[in-house]
Amino acid sequence: MKPRFSHIIAIISALLLAIPVPAQEAAMRLKTVVIDPGHGGKDAGCVSKDQKTYEKNIALDISKRLAQKISASYKDVEVKMTRSDDRFVELENRAVFANKAGADLFICIHVNSVDGSTSANGYSIHCLGQSKKKGNDLYSKNLDLVKRENSVIKLEKNYSTTYQGFDPDDPSSSIIFSLMQSAHLGQSLDFAADVANAMKDGPIKNNRGVSQDPFWVLWRTAMPAVLIEVGFITNPQDLAVMRSEVGRDQIAQNIFSAFRIYKARYDREDIAEIQVIPEQVRNEETTSKSEATVEKSPASNGPVYGVQILVSSKDMPASDPFFAGYTPLKLEAGKYFKYVIGTSSKLQEVKKNYPAIQKKFPDSYIVKVVDGATSPVK
């Protein structure tokens, strides 16, 4: 006979009392991180109004960028992903994957949405639990979000058996999560705060805060874990950022900045030496190098406007067929190159030519270039 959900809660309560939580040793270091791109395969996640952009693709792209940044900077850290392509991974298996990997940190990347409104915007970070704050529990603002993310369970075969009677549509089922939230909650909240602080200087600036919510995938992981909703696919401004390569890279960069701080704290190193560097500051630090790499830039007498079409680690010649006959303005920004075409000192001229450029480069957007640094033009 299948065990009742209440019986499982009782069993877990007893097991928790018997599981010792080891104290962190001085030699303990963060060695493994698992990055979990939300959704995938037959599960598209949230979809933009025009049906052209899927949450699963945005989450995968940002996750890959984050993984690359961590791997490139920390040779002693093993970075694993629950999926590295467009495939469906069962919710339970994502947590099992992280547990088997012996991960020290679990990072879920998702995109938010809201029905019937385009005004909701910004990013939010979620840790396991049922918040005790008034107006911030299962029956308030995050109920729809929690139900949507947990409802992925229903796409799996025999989900009622696998999840032992858990019903993602029943708020009372989530009482089980409150039993597990203490073991790693402190570290999870620390990293969540690091992410919230780092992302405030990113392309999506509205910080919707850190909250505790009963996500199944966070409950099943035996390590500090957070779920990051990087922006709203239903908000035009957030969507424009997530559709652009530079926007997704900046989001990944900011999460990476938070990871650097968390790892330093975890490894008991000097956090004061790890600083979150906003994208604008990084651009300004490369101004001298950028000025030397600008190709055919009319920036000498003031700002230049243009259409940014690509951010890449590859130094591409102006004759590359990718540019479709346009002569690019190339700006060096750290390890990357930003390519801007259709430049002019007159913004109206750039706006006039932008529709034709956008047909060839759908993820492009208009920018202002000042002293080698770019900033989006609304």
Side-chain angles (χ1 to χ4, degrees), residues 41-330:
K42 63 183 179 181
D43 175 24
C46 303
V47 181
S48 62
K49 185 178 180 180
D50 61 9
Q51 304 294 305
K52 293 182 179 180
T53 304
Y54 300 156
E55 176 183 2
K56 65 176 183 178
N57 297 332
I58 296 174
L60 180 60
D61 185 85
I62 292 174
S63 295
K64 283 184 173 181
R65 292 172 185 273
L66 175 59
Q68 189 278 328
K69 292 175 190 296
I70 295 175
S71 296
S73 298
Y74 295 96
K75 302 303 181 183
D76 61 330
V77 175
E78 185 175 15
V79 183
K80 296 185 176 183
M81 296 178 60
T82 57
R83 67 180 182 95
S84 56
D85 54 20
D86 186 18
R87 70 177 64 187
F88 178 72
V89 181
E90 295 178 345
L91 206 59
E92 173 75 359
N93 288 342
R94 295 173 189 262
V96 170
F97 178 89
N99 292 339
K100 286 185 176 180
D104 302 304
L105 181 64
F106 185 69
I107 307 173
C108 300
I109 304 296
H110 283 259
V111 176
N112 214 335
S113 73
V114 61
D115 293 334
S117 173
T118 60
S119 60
N121 69 315
Y123 61 90
S124 58
I125 303 93
H126 306 263
C127 300
L128 176 66
Q130 290 178 262
S131 176
K132 299 301 187 292
K133 290 183 179 180
K134 183 178 180 180
N136 189 30
D137 55 26
L138 275 179
Y139 302 97
S140 61
K141 64 182 181 182
N142 290 331
L143 176 58
D144 290 338
L145 170 62
V146 171
K147 288 173 63 178
R148 184 177 69 245
E149 300 296 4
N150 285 341
S151 67
V152 176
I153 289 170
K154 291 188 172 182
L155 295 178
E156 303 176 22
K157 295 180 180 179
N158 302 319
Y159 79 88
S160 60
T161 301
T162 302
Y163 295 92
Q164 304 290 335
F166 174 80
D167 182 0
D169 293 325
D170 182 6
S172 64
S173 288
S174 62
I175 188 175
I176 191 171
F177 298 105
S178 65
L179 301 175
M180 289 290 290
Q181 65 184 13
S182 60
H184 302 288
L185 180 59
Q187 289 177 302
S188 298
L189 288 172
D190 285 346
F191 180 58
D194 294 334
V195 174
N197 183 57
M199 291 184 70
K200 73 178 188 299
D201 294 311
I204 297 177
K205 300 185 182 302
N206 183 27
N207 179 5
R208 300 176 69 88
V210 175
S211 62
Q212 292 176 240
D213 298 290
F215 294 105
W216 179 278
V217 72
L218 297 184
W219 168 63
R220 293 291 286 167
T221 50
M223 74 281 305
V226 300
L227 186 149
I228 306 170
E229 301 278 354
V230 299
F232 278 78
I233 204 168
T234 46
N235 178 268
Q237 289 73 38
D238 284 9
L239 178 60
V241 170
M242 293 185 289
R243 276 179 168 170
S244 71
E245 183 175 350
V246 66
R248 296 190 300 272
D249 193 73
Q250 288 175 359
I251 291 171
Q253 177 63 42
N254 288 330
I255 298 174
F256 170 65
S257 294
F259 173 82
R260 293 174 66 223
I261 292 176
Y262 179 81
K263 184 180 185 330
R265 185 190 302 114
Y266 191 101
D267 295 348
R268 298 193 174 184
E269 296 177 349
D270 187 1
I271 299 178
E273 297 181 1
I274 307 295
Q275 298 294 327
V276 176
I277 305 175
E279 181 70 17
Q280 183 64 28
V281 174
R282 285 195 296 271
N283 288 338
E284 291 172 355
E285 289 176 345
T286 61
T287 295
S288 58
K289 293 180 68 178
S290 299
E291 290 175 343
T293 58
V294 171
E295 297 177 5
K296 297 184 178 180
S297 171
S300 58
N301 296 320
V304 175
Y305 300 93
V307 180
Q308 183 165 305
I309 59 172
L310 177 67
V311 176
S312 174
S313 59
K314 184 179 179 181
D315 187 356
M316 302 168 64
S319 59
D320 193 294
F322 173 83
F323 298 116
Y326 289 96
T327 300
L329 171 67
K330 181 173 63 178

